[in-house]
Amino acid sequence: MASPVLSVSPSDVTLPLILSSYKSLPITVSTEEKPAVSSLTLSNNDTIAGTNTIVSHLSTLIPLFAKTTYTDAESAEITQWLTLTSATPIPEEAIAQLNRNLKFRTTILGEKLSIADVAVYARIKSQVASWSDEQKTGEKGYRYIVRWVDFVQNTPDLGLQIPAEEKIVVDPSKVLVYLKPEEPVKEKKKEGGVAGEDSKKKVKGRAGAGKVKEEAEKVKEAVKDAAGRAATVVIGEGKQGKKEKKDKPKREAPKKEEPVISPSQIDLRVGHILHCMPHPNADSLFVSTISMGDPEGSPLVTPHSELSLPSEVLAEHAPLPTVRTVCSGLNGLVPIEEMQGRKVVVVANLKPVTMRGIKSTAMVLAASPAPAPGGDPTAHKKETVELVTPPEGAVAGQRVYFEGYKAEPEAVLNPKKKIWEQIQPGFATTSELDVVFDREKAGWTGDAAQGKAPGEGPVGKLVTEGGVCKVKSLVGAAVR
């Protein structure tokens, strides 16, 4: 049986490091023209596309990672970091999040090595090399990332084969050391403590809470005049001291900036429906088994042991790829024949929901006539519904995005923030049957656009590497 063939994209920095470090991998690297997206053709001629999916597959062939047991939470964290660091360059927010994650950790998972350490290192290395000393080890620098980078590239346990001249140089003489914010405050309290002791002696033995308070004010003023700065004065003991403590001005926490809402937060992918059947407990629902490029071990995939697929489907897709179970309210709106063995566009990062006893972990995008202004918003359910179709040649797991809004999506959309609800109204179709994000339809114009991603134009087409995603015939439709 022929070994799998790997085609590496010229922009891919992750796979070359894996190939050079783990030379025993049973794969052949293609020498033909380089593709725009890395792909791996398996022995049965099935193709895996996308660096993250390939990395997850290769990790099962590398002894170091194949022999390591990861919990579901750890597997989900590996997937999260592969996703967050996919963009080039890695977004500033993802870098800051990585730095916080590594504050008390040796590796991305804590102490356990994983393929995430290799992939994230390969992707962030060039950015770290370009950082100034202040960015690396300054007061607000990414010192924990720098420490982790130095560990990853040098630890023999991981075994990365990196030429010395290509490693990130960590020069101890250029490490900038700053006192922690708490330290100067402690010094001031110590100096103020002397005045506090004096004040205790002055007021000791005096009767009456009023006199004690008056004396305390005098001591405070004396300390301010003599030292030129505020000092904390502890007066007496018991209840009076507690009252003085309450009078201290409270520090206000800095206001957090609200994140910008963008269609790029939605994880849109090409999905391949391997099989579709009516929901056993709901007449309006279909239950689909969909491949969408998830790595092995993802908590969102359905274990093969829990699947009940026709023998012809199993034979056609052997070995069976990772799949998710997806419920969709399309029964009676789309013929079940059109749901079999076809490519669709899926929303992959909505929070999973259980629909009539079956857990659904994604959503299939479909178009329907937009309701008339002021009309019945559910009227579309009584009319034609068409599935959104990716361009010819698209493969399962391929990223889909709106032009002008390409960035890494959220790992999971927080339902409390209503991100999907604020973005989806802008999904529509044009007279050319293209699926687009229309800012005006979403209400992202004028003052309403505050806090919304600007994009590159009023309308952005839904695209993947091979072209534009379309519908069959519906013009001016809503997509949901």
Side-chain angles (χ1 to χ4, degrees):
M1 183 179 291
S3 61
V5 178
L6 177 65
S7 298
V8 182
S9 167
S11 62
D12 196 325
V13 297
T14 309
L15 294 177
L17 178 60
I18 293 176
L19 294 173
S20 64
S21 299
Y22 307 107
K23 298 182 183 297
S24 62
L25 283 170
I27 60 173
T28 301
V29 180
S30 173
T31 57
E32 298 178 1
E33 185 178 352
K34 304 298 182 182
V37 178
S38 296
S39 63
L40 178 65
T41 303
L42 302 177
S43 302
N44 64 352
N45 291 325
D46 281 353
T47 299
I48 298 175
T51 302
N52 286 350
T53 308
I54 297 171
V55 165
S56 298
H57 177 78
L58 295 182
S59 69
T60 64
L61 306 178
I62 300 171
L64 171 63
F65 308 124
K67 294 178 181 178
T68 303
T69 301
Y70 301 103
T71 65
D72 288 345
E74 288 170 337
S75 297
E77 193 168 357
I78 291 172
T79 301
Q80 177 189 26
W81 287 113
L82 290 178
T83 302
L84 287 174
T85 59
S86 294
T88 305
I90 298 173
E92 192 72 20
E93 183 179 341
I95 291 177
Q97 186 175 343
L98 177 63
N99 192 60
R100 291 192 297 270
N101 180 74
L102 291 169
K103 184 174 183 179
F104 301 111
R105 295 185 173 194
T106 303
T107 70
I108 282 181
L109 295 182
E111 296 181 357
K112 193 180 293 184
L113 291 168
S114 71
I115 196 66
D117 291 298
V118 181
V120 177
Y121 169 84
R123 294 167 179 179
I124 204 171
K125 185 175 73 166
S126 61
Q127 283 177 257
V128 175
S130 68
W131 288 347
S132 65
D133 294 337
E134 180 69 29
Q135 287 175 297
K136 290 179 179 177
T137 58
E139 185 176 14
K140 296 182 180 180
Y142 302 119
R143 62 182 70 190
Y144 307 116
I145 289 179
V146 173
R147 183 252 301 151
W148 168 79
V149 162
D150 192 47
F151 167 77
V152 169
Q153 66 187 6
N154 291 306
T155 177
D157 294 336
L158 202 53
L160 296 187
Q161 300 301 307
I162 308 169
E165 64 274 12
E166 294 182 12
K167 291 184 178 181
I168 302 297
V169 177
V170 181
D171 188 347
S173 67
K174 293 184 178 181
V175 173
L176 305 180
V177 180
Y178 287 82
L179 292 174
K180 295 181 179 179
E182 295 80 10
E183 291 177 355
V185 176
K186 289 179 181 178
E187 290 299 320
K188 288 183 179 181
K189 286 184 177 179
K190 186 176 180 181
E191 293 174 10
V194 176
E197 290 300 319
D198 291 341
S199 66
K200 285 182 181 180
K201 292 178 182 178
K202 289 181 181 181
V203 301
K204 187 175 182 182
R206 295 192 182 186
K211 290 185 179 181
V212 172
K213 186 173 182 181
E214 181 182 352
E215 190 66 19
E217 295 299 324
K218 290 180 181 179
V219 173
K220 284 187 178 181
E221 292 300 320
V223 172
K224 289 179 181 178
D225 294 338
R229 59 184 177 270
T232 302
V233 182
V234 180
I235 307 299
E237 298 177 357
K239 295 182 180 179
Q240 184 62 29
K242 292 180 181 179
K243 184 175 181 181
E244 290 299 322
K245 212 169 187 179
K246 290 181 181 178
D247 291 339
K248 290 181 182 179
K250 294 182 179 179
R251 293 182 180 179
E252 292 185 4
K255 294 182 179 179
K256 294 182 179 180
E257 293 185 5
E258 290 297 324
V260 174
I261 295 174
S262 170
S264 65
Q265 292 173 278
I266 300 174
D267 186 359
L268 296 169
R269 305 184 202 170
V270 174
H272 186 186
I273 301 178
L274 306 186
H275 180 64
C276 179
M277 59 178 281
H279 194 296
N281 304 316
D283 294 340
S284 63
L285 299 179
F286 281 141
V287 180
S288 300
T289 300
I290 306 179
S291 169
M292 54 187 78
D294 290 300
E296 295 281 354
S298 168
L300 298 176
V301 303
T302 303
H304 291 172
S305 59
E306 297 179 10
L307 296 174
S308 180
L309 298 175
S311 56
E312 59 268 22
V313 173
L314 293 172
E316 181 181 356
H317 300 286
L320 196 65
T322 57
V323 294
R324 296 195 200 185
T325 298
V326 180
C327 296
S328 53
L330 299 173
N331 195 352
L333 300 172
V334 176
I336 194 169
E337 295 77 15
E338 292 186 19
M339 298 288 292
Q340 306 290 355
R342 64 164 294 159
K343 303 290 176 59
V344 291
V345 175
V346 295
V347 182
N349 62 341
L350 293 174
K351 187 176 180 179
V353 293
T354 299
M355 304 178 74
R356 294 292 184 93
I358 295 180
K359 183 179 179 181
S360 179
T361 55
M363 185 177 75
V364 177
L365 277 189
S368 57
D376 180 4
T378 64
H380 69 280
K381 295 183 178 180
K382 306 177 182 66
E383 302 185 47
T384 304
V385 173
E386 295 178 354
L387 298 174
V388 175
T389 303
E392 189 72 27
V395 295
Q398 202 167 350
R399 281 289 309 280
V400 181
Y401 58 91
F402 289 100
E403 291 178 329
Y405 301 97
K406 185 178 182 181
E408 284 306 306
E410 300 277 342
V412 179
L413 292 179
N414 186 341
K416 294 182 180 179
K417 294 182 179 180
K418 304 292 183 183
I419 295 173
W420 168 256
E421 290 78 0
Q422 296 182 69
I423 295 171
Q424 181 274 324
F427 291 12
T429 65
T430 67
S431 57
E432 290 79 28
L433 304 180
D434 297 333
V435 177
V436 299
F437 175 73
D438 188 326
R439 294 178 66 84
E440 186 173 354
K441 289 184 182 296
W444 289 18
T445 56
D447 294 338
Q450 186 176 3
K452 311 298 191 301
E456 295 179 0
V459 175
K461 294 181 180 180
L462 186 64
V463 300
T464 186
E465 296 296 338
V468 183
C469 299
K470 292 178 172 287
V471 293
K472 187 176 181 180
S473 64
L474 291 174
V475 174
V479 177
R480 52 179 70 82

